[in-house]
Structures are given as C-alpha cells and as structure tokens.
C-alpha cells in the first residue's frame, strides 16, 4: 500500500488532495465573503457530487439544458476547496454555485448567516467505500490492492475526505447553524423527478413542465455518463492523463457493495456503523429493493 502522505495533505484534521492544493487559500477559507444567493453542494467523496453538479447546471442554466453552450459542469459549479488559477471566485457573477467536500468546521463563517443555501448529499457508506475503492486505483490517491485493504483505510479515515462518520455527523449535528437541506443519493435513484422538485423548492427555482422534463432526462445517470460536459472525461485526460472513458461515472447503483464485500467484512462494517451511528436520525438505503 502506498504512503498516503504522498497524495494527501492534512489540514486542521482533514485530508485534502495534494495536487492542485492552494494552502494559502485554505488558510483564508474562514474569511471568504459569502453572498446571500450562493449555493453550495456538500458531499463526502463518491456520494453523487458530479451528479448534483449536473443537476444544478440543468436547473440554473437554460443554455446548459438546451445545449446551446458547450461548457463543462465543473466550470459552472467548481470545487470550492480547489480554486483554478484562472478562476476568481470573487468576480464570478451571482448566483455562484459551488461544490465542496469540506467538513462543517472548515467552510466560510459567512455561511452561518443562514441565507446562502447548502445541499448536503449523503449515500450509504458501503456503496461509497466500494465506489471509492475502484476510484482510488486509477487516481492520484493512496491505492489499495484489495477491498480489505481499502476498508481499513476508509474506516480509519485515511482517505481524501477523512472519516465518513465524522463528516456526515458533523454537518448534521451543526445543521442549525446553516440554511441546509439533506438529500439522499438513493432517493434520487428511486425518484429523480420528485427529488429534483424538492431541490427546486429549496432553491426557490420554478421550472416549466417542459424544462423539468429536460432536466430529469439529462440528469438520468445513463444520459449523464454520455455527456462530455458532465462525465469528466476531458478533465481526466487533461489533468491526470487518464484515457478511460467514463471512469468517474462507473455504475451509480444501489447495493453494488454486495458484489465486493464478504459476509465477514459486511458484518464487521455493520458493527462499526452501529457503534458510530447509534440514534443518528437520517435513514439509509442499502439495497435497490428497500423501501
């Protein structure tokens, strides 16, 4: 197993990806000026981040819905913690849309005025872990050769994003500080239209029936995987030299963990989950057939 410090940088107890990291920006995060109409997607890695970038793009930008402008989603909804050298967040027109994996304690203090909106997307951690395992083998991340090795890293928080339990509990337990809506990844898979309507209501966005049909159609995982604006193919090729098509968007299914975890690993994971998440009020869906 490779040394995690070669790929990750720990700042205030949280692991960031080393490539492209601006330490100076991290040190001034707390003072970043928030606008009242800013929108942040917050996720733990592999929880539907790219999917939500696409959904926000489709909701906010008519030119994205109608494909009249060929601009990649990451340019419209950039990663807040990894600002591009050519992008000045301060000069971006409103409403600014951001994506971040940051824990609650590292986001700008201006988000606590409860006016800017945050959508926290969460997913069952077994599927996160298995998706992350495949993802880590081809990205500049600590790579594990087996699911057992990666499960150890994941459950110790020695991955980009640190410990999943801390991330979700931190945001939920401090939700009263923010204007925040919690969305479940699995609910989007089961009822995409209903979930997008819920998102629009939270954001105060009204779409015509025709536009809503377009958003739902283009936001379907299968369609998004083929959309070069949304599937990260160009970013993987240009920034990381990865040629494999659709690498970021592998399956996006519910319950894929059953194809990789042994009975013993699953039981061990369940014990740790129960210990850490006892009395946690958000529900989780572990299987596609679950209600």
């Amino acid at each position: 197993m490779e040394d995690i410090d070669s790929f990750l940088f720990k700042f205030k107890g949280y692991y960031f990806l080393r490539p492209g990291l601006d330490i100076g920006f991290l040190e001034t995060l707390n003072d970043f000026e928030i606008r009242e109409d800013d929108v942040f997607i917050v996720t733990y890695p592999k929880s539907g981040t790219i999917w939500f970038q696409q959904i926000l793009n489709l909701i906010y930008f008519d030119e994205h819905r109608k494909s009249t402008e060929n601009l990649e989603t990451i340019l419209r909804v950039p990663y807040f913690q990894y600002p591009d050298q050519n992008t000045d967040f301060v000069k971006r027109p409103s409403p600014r849309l951001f994506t971040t994996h940051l824990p609650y304690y590292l986001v700008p203090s201006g988000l606590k005025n409860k006016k800017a909106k945050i959508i926290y997307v969460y997913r069952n951690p077994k599927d996160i872990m298995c998706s992350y395992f495949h993802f880590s083998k081809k990205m500049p991340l600590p790579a594990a050769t087996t699911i057992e090795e990666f499960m150890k890293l994941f459950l110790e928080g020695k991955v980009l994003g640190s410990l999943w339990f801390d991330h979700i509990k931190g945001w939920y337990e401090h939700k009263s500080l923010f204007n925040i809506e919690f969305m479940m990844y699995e609910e989007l898979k089961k009822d995409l239209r209903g979930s997008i309507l819920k998102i629009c209501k939270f954001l105060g966005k009204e779409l015509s029936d025709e536009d809503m049909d377009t958003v739902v159609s283009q936001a379907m995982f299968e369609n998004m995987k083929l959309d070069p604006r949304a599937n990260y193919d160009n970013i993987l090729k240009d920034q990381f030299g990865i040629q494999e098509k659709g690498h970021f968007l592998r399956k996006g299914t519910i319950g894929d963990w059953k194809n990789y975890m042994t009975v013993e690993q699953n039981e061990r994971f369940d014990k740790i989950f129960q210990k850490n998440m006892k009395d946690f009020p958000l529900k989780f869906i572990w299987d596609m057939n679950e209600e």
Side-chain angles (χ1 to χ4, degrees):
M1 197 184 303
E2 296 156 300
D3 177 22
I4 64 170
D5 292 328
S6 301
F7 302 97
L8 303 178
F9 178 79
K10 201 168 193 177
F11 179 80
K12 295 186 178 180
Y14 180 82
Y15 277 119
F16 290 85
L17 189 65
R18 274 191 184 276
L21 188 62
D22 182 344
I23 308 298
F25 182 70
L26 291 186
E27 290 173 342
T28 61
L29 273 182
N30 190 61
D31 301 321
F32 182 85
E33 191 168 342
I34 295 293
R35 299 177 194 162
E36 291 186 3
D37 56 359
D38 284 346
V39 177
F40 280 76
I41 304 166
V42 178
T43 62
Y44 184 85
K46 309 311 294 177
S47 301
T49 317
I50 300 169
W51 198 8
F52 260 78
Q53 283 179 309
Q54 172 76 332
I55 289 170
L56 280 200
N57 260 316
L58 292 167
I59 290 172
Y60 275 89
F61 298 105
D62 187 61
E63 56 268 40
H64 192 72
R65 281 196 302 275
K66 295 178 179 176
S67 300
T68 57
E69 190 173 276
N70 188 26
L71 198 62
E72 292 175 355
T73 56
I74 196 171
L75 298 176
R76 294 194 191 277
V77 196
Y79 281 89
F80 181 67
Q81 69 270 30
Y82 302 109
D84 186 278
Q85 292 179 344
N86 302 316
T87 301
D88 187 342
F89 289 163
V90 176
K91 293 180 180 178
R92 287 182 79 89
S94 293
R96 296 180 302 186
L97 310 176
F98 294 111
T99 304
T100 189
H101 297 316
L102 288 173
Y104 80 93
Y105 63 86
L106 285 181
V107 297
S109 60
L111 276 171
K112 295 176 183 175
N113 71 9
K114 298 187 181 181
K115 291 181 179 175
K117 294 180 170 67
I118 298 170
I119 299 174
Y120 186 99
V121 189
Y122 68 100
R123 183 185 188 185
N124 90 65
K126 292 178 188 176
D127 278 334
I128 288 176
M129 185 183 73
C130 291
S131 175
Y132 213 153
F133 168 61
H134 291 283
F135 179 70
S136 70
K137 289 193 286 187
K138 296 180 181 176
M139 293 298 293
L141 291 166
T145 55
T146 66
I147 193 72
E148 177 65 28
E149 283 184 0
F150 191 80
M151 184 167 158
K152 186 175 189 296
L153 289 174
F154 183 79
L155 292 174
E156 290 177 355
K158 293 179 179 178
V159 291
L160 170 66
S162 296
L163 190 63
W164 176 84
F165 299 108
D166 289 348
H167 196 277
I168 187 169
K169 288 197 297 183
W171 274 103
Y172 191 83
E173 290 166 2
H174 294 85
K175 66 182 188 297
S176 62
L177 300 175
F178 306 100
N179 182 11
I180 189 167
E181 179 83 15
F182 287 83
M183 299 287 301
M184 189 198 300
Y185 176 96
E186 290 81 4
E187 283 194 349
L188 266 88
K189 291 294 293 185
K190 287 172 171 285
D191 181 12
L192 183 56
R193 179 179 290 271
S195 296
I196 291 174
L197 284 168
K198 184 178 178 182
I199 294 165
C200 286
K201 183 177 180 181
F202 175 67
L203 296 174
K205 299 288 289 183
E206 288 189 21
L207 297 177
S208 68
D209 290 342
E210 182 182 358
D211 283 340
M212 179 58 70
D213 289 342
T214 302
V215 172
V216 172
S217 175
Q218 292 190 38
M220 290 174 66
F221 192 85
E222 297 75 14
N223 292 337
M224 195 178 84
K225 196 168 181 176
L226 300 174
D227 185 346
R229 298 172 305 169
N231 64 16
Y232 275 43
D233 282 0
N234 294 332
I235 293 162
L236 289 169
K237 184 173 66 177
D238 297 341
Q239 294 187 15
F240 300 107
I242 296 171
Q243 303 292 334
E244 185 174 334
K245 189 171 179 61
H247 166 69
F248 257 80
L249 307 176
R250 195 176 62 92
K251 286 186 180 179
T253 54
I254 303 172
D256 193 42
W257 59 269
K258 294 178 180 179
N259 297 316
Y260 299 98
M261 296 176 73
T262 66
V263 172
E264 188 276 330
Q265 287 168 343
N266 183 47
E267 289 175 350
R268 187 165 15 119
F269 194 105
D270 282 344
K271 285 181 182 177
I272 295 168
F273 181 87
Q274 294 302 331
K275 180 182 176 183
N276 281 275
M277 304 298 283
K278 185 182 178 184
D279 301 325
F280 189 72
L282 292 179
K283 68 174 183 175
F284 293 88
I285 292 176
W286 306 94
D287 185 90
M288 192 65 194
N289 298 318
E290 235 177 288
E291 289 301 323

